[in-house]
Amino acid sequence: MERRYDLDWIRICAFGVLVLYHVGMYYVTWDWHVNSPHAGPALEPLMRLASPWRLSLLFLVSGAATAFLWERCRGDGRSFLGPRSWRLLLPLVFGMLVIVPPQSYFEVVEKLPGGYHDGYLAFWRRYLAGDGSFCRDDDCLALPTWNHLWFLAYLWCYTAVLWALLRFAPRATAGAVERLRALLARPGGLLWPLAWLAIARMLLVGRFESTHALVDDWYNHAQYLPLFLLGCAIARPGPLWERIEAARWPALGAALAAWLYLTWYFGHYADGMPPPEPLRWLQRLLWSVQQWGAIVAILGFARRLAPGDSPARRWLGEAVFPVYILHQTVIVLLAVGLQPLDLSPWIEGPLLVLATFALCFAAYAIIRRLGWLRPLFGLRRRPPPPPPRSPPPPPREAADVRS
């Protein structure tokens, strides 16, 4: 398959949105690891503009990237699952032991009744020992934890599912992919994923809380695993992508209209007053409309407008993984460090965004040059330098024509 630069740019921008979203989490009333003293509901409508689709899009483009990886491995399961596991699970373990603990530490400092005063190293020892005594009412912090790195655990599990399908049922899987692509390319075919997402939300979201704990997160699995597999199935160019490009404007309009309803709904019932059941069901349906509509719009506009290859794409494409691993801890450390200055959120927020990107990109510039650090942040090992070329032999002198 030819490389899809539009999907590369979507992946880069989607992780950029993730950084913006997690900075926003510091300023809203939703529960997060730390919260600004100026937190309030003002930013929440803008956050809901991305909430339904940001992670779904990441899983879809990750599925497409995994399909390209399988093609590069030429169907060799060992050269596919082994390196992929190394690139996902090693950063996950390293992140849980080293990168994530500062988030939990400042969460305990800020939210534990009476605070926490024993210092970071003492907390880290208890963190590594799995101390479960950090509780607020009946809510105890589960340690050690993966926090934002849950995405890596889910991505590895979904990759293993794909590997099993391609390894043990290759013909059935290939046939299912072709039938799915043909179905989605028909008029109205793009409504089928919407129907799945809407049914999953209506049946499961009220029964299974979003936990990101892997074993009990059934609503999230019901949306993320199919979208990951869908990304694998649609990675190859074809008539389906012409359909997606043609649907970009209607999909964008539907997503924005659904967002307006969701903004009204969550704002109107923010005080805990239960909504009428018809409005609740309509909210769940329109959440899915915004989710899938935004994804189709992004895919369609990217196919039409995204630039091709460039040094910037190659640099940013490799930077995505280290920036993702580092960004949330960097946000928490910067936010806590800026609190004594009592800056206005209109100044502090953009400063947090710029400083987070700057520090993460600077860290990546160091990581990419250190061979022992690269695997810890999901980067491939550098290939060994080619052996030096021996100098060419000196040219032989021409024979004397007079001899």
Side-chain angles (χ1 to χ4, degrees), residues 4-199:
R4 295 288 305 276
Y5 296 117
D6 54 338
L7 297 180
D8 285 340
W9 282 109
I10 290 174
R11 176 173 172 267
I12 291 167
C13 293
F15 277 102
V17 169
L18 195 64
V19 175
L20 297 176
Y21 190 88
H22 284 153
V23 171
M25 287 294 293
Y26 181 58
Y27 293 101
V28 294
T29 60
W30 309 335
D31 188 38
W32 202 52
H33 308 291
V34 293
N35 292 103
S36 169
H38 305 286
L43 194 61
E44 290 172 8
L46 190 59
M47 297 283 282
R48 289 194 181 96
L49 190 60
S51 291
W53 56 264
R54 59 188 181 88
L55 292 170
S56 303
L57 179 64
L58 279 176
F59 277 109
L60 187 141
V61 295
S62 297
T66 306
F68 283 99
L69 178 62
W70 177 263
E71 289 291 326
R72 287 199 299 271
C73 295
R74 299 185 180 184
D76 183 357
R78 289 185 179 180
S79 63
F80 171 76
L81 189 60
R84 191 61 172 162
S85 300
W86 179 259
R87 291 189 66 194
L88 292 175
L89 297 183
L90 180 62
L92 175 61
V93 173
F94 171 73
M96 291 176 65
L97 297 179
V98 178
I99 305 298
V100 167
Q103 301 176 32
S104 299
Y105 170 70
F106 284 108
E107 184 173 357
V108 166
V109 168
E110 179 173 294
K111 298 183 178 180
L112 192 71
Y116 180 78
H117 308 286
D118 290 343
Y120 178 72
L121 291 180
F123 170 81
W124 193 28
R125 286 193 294 269
R126 295 173 65 177
Y127 173 95
L128 296 176
D131 191 334
S133 64
F134 297 104
C135 299
R136 181 180 54 179
D137 297 327
D138 294 330
D139 183 16
C140 295
L141 201 60
L143 301 177
T145 183
W146 49 43
N147 282 4
H148 69 293
L149 300 182
W150 67 269
F151 177 80
L152 300 182
Y154 282 50
L155 186 55
W156 181 84
C157 291
Y158 298 165
T159 301
V161 170
L162 175 66
W163 170 83
L165 291 173
L166 295 172
R167 176 69 177 81
F168 299 109
R171 292 184 179 180
T173 302
V177 166
E178 293 306 318
R179 289 191 294 273
L180 177 62
R181 289 175 62 89
L183 174 65
L184 297 180
R186 295 174 185 170
L190 293 176
L191 296 177
W192 286 106
L194 170 59
W196 174 272
L197 293 170
I199 292 171

Side-chain angles (χ1 to χ4, degrees), residues 246-286:
R248 67 191 187 280
W249 282 111
L252 178 62
L256 291 176
W259 170 69
L260 290 175
Y261 174 81
L262 295 176
T263 300
W264 169 83
Y265 176 91
F266 286 109
H268 189 72
Y269 296 104
D271 57 357
M273 180 177 61
E277 280 302 304
L279 292 185
R280 188 193 303 275
W281 288 101
L282 181 60
Q283 173 265 128
R284 294 176 180 177
L285 172 62
L286 292 182

Side-chain angles (χ1 to χ4, degrees), residues 384-390:
R389 294 183 178 179
S390 57

